[in-house]
Amino acid sequence: MMSNFNDFNNPQVKKLPEHLKQFIVEQEYAHYTPVDQAVWRFVMRQNYHFLKDIAYYPYIPGLEAAGLSIEKIPDLQEMNDALQKIGWGAVTVDGFIPPAAFMEYQSCKVLVIAADIRQLHHIEYTPAPDIIHESAGHAPIIADPDYHQYLSYFGSIGAKAMYSSRDFELYEAIRELSILKEMPDPDPLKLKNAEKQVLFCQKNLGDPSEMALLSRLHWWTVEYGLIGTLENPKIYGAGLLSSIGESKSCMDHSVKKYWYTADAVNFPFDITKPQPQLFVTPNFQNLTQVLENFADSMAFRRGGTESILKAIECRNTCTAVYSSGLQISGIFTDLRMDKHDELLFLKTSGASALSYENKQLEGHGKQIHADGFSSPVGRLKNFGKALEDANDNELEKLGIIGGQTAELNFSGGLSLNGIVGSILKRNSKLILISFSDCTLKDEQGNVYFEPSWGVYDMAVGEKIVSVYSGAADKDAFEEVAPKAKSATFHPEYTAHQKRYHDLFKQVRLCRETQSKFELLTDIWNELKQNFRDDWLCAIEILEILELENIFTDTAKDIRIYLEMKSSSEPELNNLIQNGFYLISKAQKGSGALRN
């Protein structure tokens, strides 16, 4: 967690709960190199020229509304100043963060932006989240009211999604692979093993969890969504908007286009490859409707035995909500049900807590319930209503009187005998009864609680109406989401690399100040002599020379050099040809070039 939390004077960022701050890192703007800035500018200029016709939103106004420009990597303060006008904020994080945390940020109307930018050798596409994808992809469309409403609503539902322990293994594997792929010279064996691990995790997920299914809906909308008609769709998905290559190739007829319906949940995705199909929504309201229908199948809306089973499979902190409103947070490990699969009893192991309306109940935190919590679920025999709805007279008739021994027999077969201690009500509902000298057992005589174990806090509630991932009162629970073991790669630059950066810096200075153009020939000669792998700095020099119509011999020399490089290094062909295209489109003084 950041020691000095910077809220950027943004209301949404200020309101972030403590447990989400653990993922935030400083942007450290000064760490972006001149090459990084050139990568941003090249990608953004390409995006502008290509996407202005196929992006759903007006590209430049969209960027400006999010505090972005084509010319430089965005500064988080500038982004937050712009985003707060539409009720959003932004923070920087270290690469991939766990899906549950990502969703919760979204529900808080805060964009999560990877602080790093892709390496030059991954300029067309990177599997790792980077500032181009997160800011230039997600932020510009967020001004659309229907879209940002969908985004925050998705986050609120996603934050409750149940995930399995295998989901986290897959997240860990994808993160590891993306970090390796962003390294300048990754160990081939490590890379191969990381790819194998991702493949293994993908193939061994078993039945997909709620989070896995929701991730598919997120992927086919927020990341790779199209809007409009099947014949002439427009791009709104951030993954497409931030990928030079795939934003072009996705319009090809070989990429199948389907209407976006609930069926999209049946299409898994591979984060490392171009997508074989995409989904088109007629409008953003349709996205919300599909999400709403899916949410109806989730544990947080369904409750019951099936949902507790999902919590047990999760193997991480979950919350079960009784019909009385009492919330039990902990790692669920056991349950009991009848022959009709009705839930009769639930159990957590390890530190657990009780809450009501997302606020931890006094005296019922993890220290008190350090070894777990268990309680019956259901009605009492021979009592015509749910116990939570009993009034004081009815409680007296049932023998539930402070200081006296009570015997409670549940319809499911459990029986409890103990001395009544405290009786807790909230909003006229009985939610908790504490017993001393208490025994809880079933019809076969199996003991679930015995007097020597101390005070027994019995949850009151006829049903479990909701089960969701995470604690009810996350901050009181001091919830630390499972964090990745791996850290993103940050290179140490050699003197040779630093000199290369300096050449980019000089070119940018010439362009921005419209002066010292005579330096460009010297820079080109140094590139030609000492940096034979370069193509981007040469493109930037050529752009200025041809735009200003100066040093035509040098310009001709650069163009021939780049044509030869394009021919001899096929992997650079598209990039260099795109660079030529951008130069041909630039007109002196045009907003498109100098925006």
Side-chain angles (χ1 to χ4, degrees):
M1 192 181 295
M2 299 173 70
S3 52
N4 296 309
F5 174 59
N6 182 2
D7 61 27
F8 303 101
N9 202 28
N10 180 295
Q12 298 307 125
V13 178
K14 277 181 185 177
K15 286 190 288 188
L16 281 174
E18 287 298 317
H19 64 275
L20 286 183
K21 294 177 186 175
Q22 64 184 299
F23 299 103
I24 298 173
V25 299
E26 290 283 358
Q27 185 184 24
E28 297 186 8
Y29 197 89
H31 285 192
Y32 297 123
T33 68
V35 175
D36 293 336
Q37 294 286 0
V39 165
W40 171 274
R41 182 174 181 269
F42 185 81
V43 173
M44 294 301 290
R45 289 176 77 234
Q46 286 213 87
N47 281 356
Y48 167 72
H49 281 287
F50 183 69
L51 295 173
K52 62 185 171 66
D53 296 322
I54 61 168
Y56 171 67
Y57 57 86
Y59 200 75
I60 298 299
L63 291 177
E64 289 171 350
L68 306 173
S69 87
I70 282 177
E71 283 297 310
K72 68 180 182 70
I73 295 171
D75 173 81
L76 256 285
Q77 185 61 61
E78 291 172 11
M79 282 193 73
N80 274 289
D81 291 344
L83 288 170
Q84 73 170 323
K85 293 173 186 172
I86 52 171
W88 279 70
V91 294
T92 39
V93 299
D94 182 32
F96 279 115
I97 65 171
F102 182 88
M103 294 291 182
E104 201 176 347
Y105 272 108
Q106 214 166 279
S107 72
C108 294
K109 298 185 177 180
V110 173
L111 281 179
V112 175
I113 294 173
D116 293 333
I117 188 167
R118 65 194 63 181
Q119 300 288 305
L120 178 54
H121 62 281
H122 279 155
I123 193 167
E124 284 193 283
Y125 171 77
T126 173
D130 80 328
I131 197 163
I132 294 178
H133 169 83
E134 305 292 346
S135 58
H138 288 294
I141 195 171
I142 213 164
D144 184 293
D146 287 332
Y147 184 72
H148 72 66
Q149 185 181 346
Y150 168 70
L151 210 56
S152 59
Y153 188 51
F154 199 114
S156 66
I157 287 172
K160 292 182 182 298
M162 307 294 288
Y163 58 94
S164 70
S165 52
R166 291 176 181 180
D167 288 335
F168 194 75
E169 288 166 10
L170 176 60
Y171 153 73
E172 187 71 79
I174 287 173
R175 181 181 162 90
E176 181 68 32
L177 177 61
S178 72
I179 290 167
L180 281 170
K181 284 200 166 190
E182 268 302 285
M183 290 183 175
D185 295 299
D187 182 318
L189 185 60
K190 279 187 179 177
L191 196 58
K192 190 176 180 183
N193 288 339
E195 285 171 340
K196 277 184 180 175
Q197 184 62 22
V198 169
L199 203 61
F200 175 81
C201 289
Q202 283 175 334
K203 285 183 176 176
N204 291 278
L205 272 179
D207 290 334
S209 67
E210 289 178 356
M211 182 60 84
L213 294 173
L214 261 181
S215 294
R216 293 176 188 178
L217 294 185
H218 198 267
W219 184 262
W220 300 125
T221 59
V222 175
E223 296 295 349
Y224 277 79
L226 301 174
I227 187 168
T229 64
L230 293 180
E231 297 74 30
N232 185 30
K234 302 289 185 187
I235 295 173
Y236 72 88
L240 293 173
L241 292 172
S242 60
S243 167
I244 301 169
E246 208 164 357
S247 60
K248 289 183 179 180
S249 63
C250 78
M251 291 303 174
D252 196 88
H253 291 302
S254 63
V255 179
K256 297 184 181 73
K257 312 294 189 303
Y258 301 118
W259 284 116
Y260 180 69
T261 66
D263 191 47
V265 83
N266 298 317
F267 288 77
F269 58 88
D270 185 340
I271 197 166
T272 65
K273 294 176 182 173
Q275 309 310 310
Q277 76 281 312
L278 295 171
F279 295 87
V280 184
T281 186
N283 51 54
F284 289 138
Q285 291 95 324
N286 178 55
L287 303 185
T288 302
Q289 189 55 57
V290 169
L291 177 61
E292 186 66 23
N293 292 343
F294 180 80
D296 285 341
S297 71
M298 291 173 65
F300 85 96
R301 286 191 180 171
R302 291 177 68 88
T305 307
E306 180 189 356
S307 299
I308 295 293
L309 286 169
K310 286 182 179 179
I312 293 170
E313 164 60 15
C314 182
R315 299 183 201 170
N316 276 287
T317 302
C318 292
T319 296
V321 186
Y322 276 81
S323 46
S324 62
L326 182 69
Q327 297 162 311
I328 317 298
S329 297
I331 296 175
F332 287 80
T333 53
D334 203 1
L335 56 72
R336 177 186 156 124
M337 54 187 170
D338 66 16
K339 59 185 178 182
H340 303 296
D341 293 340
E342 286 295 319
L343 189 64
L344 306 176
F345 176 84
L346 55 74
K347 182 178 187 298
T348 68
S349 296
S352 303
L354 311 185
S355 304
Y356 185 82
E357 292 184 344
N358 301 324
K359 290 294 177 190
Q360 189 171 287
L361 295 173
E362 192 175 342
H364 290 286
K366 293 194 297 184
Q367 293 73 25
I368 301 298
H369 301 288
D371 298 319
F373 181 86
S374 66
S375 194
V377 181
R379 287 193 172 204
L380 296 177
K381 286 179 182 175
N382 305 317
F383 186 61
K385 61 160 80 167
L387 181 58
E388 66 240 48
D389 295 324
N391 58 36
D392 290 345
N393 288 336
E394 288 166 330
L395 290 178
E396 209 169 299
K397 285 177 184 174
L398 287 166
I400 302 174
I401 303 165
Q404 295 192 20
T405 299
E407 185 169 330
L408 305 179
N409 295 301
F410 287 85
S411 300
L414 293 174
S415 60
L416 180 148
N417 188 291
I419 299 170
V420 177
S422 61
I423 298 171
L424 192 60
K425 286 188 172 186
R426 286 287 187 275
N427 292 333
S428 76
K429 291 268 190 183
L430 180 63
I431 64 170
L432 195 69
I433 307 173
S434 296
F435 296 90
S436 58
D437 196 21
C438 179
T439 301
L440 178 67
K441 58 186 179 181
D442 63 20
E443 291 159 314
Q444 287 75 41
N446 298 310
V447 176
Y448 293 78
F449 196 90
E450 59 183 49
S452 63
W453 296 355
V455 173
Y456 184 63
D457 294 304
M458 187 190 85
V460 178
E462 181 183 6
K463 294 177 179 176
I464 294 298
V465 294
S466 178
V467 182
Y468 54 84
S469 177
D473 185 343
K474 289 182 168 68
D475 288 338
F477 204 82
E478 296 172 346
E479 185 167 271
V480 178
K483 289 186 79 172
K485 301 169 193 163
S486 48
T488 53
F489 174 76
H490 294 111
E492 291 288 325
Y493 296 111
T494 63
H496 185 71
Q497 288 169 319
K498 286 177 181 175
R499 178 58 187 161
Y500 184 52
H501 297 170
D502 191 52
L503 297 182
F504 274 92
K505 186 178 179 180
Q506 290 181 53
V507 172
R508 176 175 280 266
L509 203 61
C510 290
R511 184 176 64 247
E512 290 180 346
T513 62
Q514 291 284 287
S515 65
K516 298 186 177 178
F517 291 139
E518 65 278 2
L519 291 176
L520 295 174
T521 298
D522 294 336
I523 295 169
W524 161 240
N525 286 331
E526 188 173 345
L527 281 171
K528 197 165 48 169
Q529 188 172 339
N530 299 329
F531 301 95
R532 298 293 293 181
D533 288 338
D534 172 72
W535 60 272
L536 182 54
C537 196
I539 287 278
E540 291 213 328
I541 295 170
L542 182 63
E543 174 196 324
I544 297 169
L545 297 183
E546 295 199 352
L547 196 65
E548 302 295 334
N549 196 22
I550 54 176
F551 305 114
T552 51
D553 286 346
T554 302
K556 186 178 178 183
D557 192 22
I558 295 173
R559 196 170 266 278
I560 291 168
Y561 168 84
L562 288 169
E563 289 281 15
M564 288 174 65
K565 185 172 273 290
S566 174
S567 177
S568 62
E569 299 177 46
E571 69 276 12
L572 295 179
N573 179 57
N574 275 344
L575 291 164
I576 291 171
Q577 295 306 321
N578 285 344
F580 289 158
Y581 171 80
L582 291 176
I583 292 170
S584 73
K585 288 292 178 185
Q587 298 296 320
K588 189 172 182 182
S590 74
L593 175 67
R594 298 199 174 94
N595 185 1

